[in-house]
Amino acid sequence: MLLFPVTMGLSTVLSLAGAPSPYSIVAVSEGLTRTRLLYPAWLAVAVGWILVGLSRAWASSLPSSVALGVSVTATLLALSVLGAQVWLQTALAAELGDASARVVQGNPVTVVDAGGTLVARRRGPEPAWSLPSARRGVTIFLLATVAAAALFVGMMLALGAAGSAARSLQCLLLTGSWMSLGVIGVDLVEDVWPGFTSEAGLARASRYYSQIFEQWRNPVVLAAFLVVILGAPLAWTLGLVPASVTLFPVWIAGCICFTTLWNQVLLKNGVVASRLPLPAWVNEYSAARPLWAHFFAVIHTVMAICLIAGLGGLHRTLA
């Protein structure tokens, strides 16, 4: 669970490296503002889960030296992630908020074109703001924390593999599922919901997804998705996990098939010009036709439900 907040924090810092465009400044600032409650809640659950795991480690047949090493590593890692989040949600968020306000006062970063599509007015590398002088130290700290988290996960998987390869695969799926759920949780916070749509909300969601798809650097998140999408069906075929773990990849496959086929219908009727469905060919939201934005929110809702069901099945299997 700790991998999710620290890798997202690192992505935030890397997307602001150098001279970010005014568009990026506003998008990241809005993202930090809207997730200010999500990350503390997520970390509270993560710490509680770690404490439960450590109590089981001490009560198990593991040597006391191994249990002590795991406990110290987990504690230091948790404190590092907490420290990174405090900096992101306080110092960085405050500086970004001020810079974002100055950008918005100058000119709007998102406008509506003649076709009703929300487009970025300014995306060029205008050096209106840059990370504070300590950005190199912060980036190195976050990189080290990500590396430590990855090593800790690897150590846990190795301990599981020492018992059985099946348990190691189950633990890997658990890690990927928690990571995926965290990312989908952020998406749900950013999504625009049916019945609560406004042009300002659509513009904000458009900025978020453009920033994510085009400028953020987070290969760990993609790896987590691939672990679940590819590993869950394999583990279920081998009889290692319940069928609920496969709900997430099945839903994603269904969405891809549906959007691809539906896009062909729209293409034949002259509604769209691309053979690839949104957002595969371009990241765009429409202020005049918000149906795609609503559909995206529904997709993410079902994704979250599928992941929660899968996590429940995994935890019962590992208990």
Side-chain angles (χ1 to χ4, degrees), residues 149-213:
L151 286 173
F152 183 69
V153 170
M155 183 171 62
M156 294 297 97
L157 293 175
L159 287 174
S164 69
R167 196 163 185 85
S168 182
L169 178 57
Q170 291 166 346
C171 292
L172 182 62
L173 281 174
L174 190 68
T175 303
S177 297
W178 274 115
M179 280 281 294
S180 300
L181 182 60
V183 176
I184 298 303
V186 175
D187 290 343
L188 286 171
V189 171
E190 299 287 350
D191 279 335
V192 177
W193 296 90
F196 298 92
T197 307
S198 66
E199 186 175 313
L202 285 166
R204 172 187 48 74
S206 174
R207 286 191 288 268
Y208 166 71
Y209 283 110
S210 294
Q211 178 70 15
I212 286 291
F213 283 109

Side-chain angles (χ1 to χ4, degrees), residues 14-25:
L14 292 179
S15 69
L16 296 171
S21 69
Y23 188 93
S24 297
I25 293 170

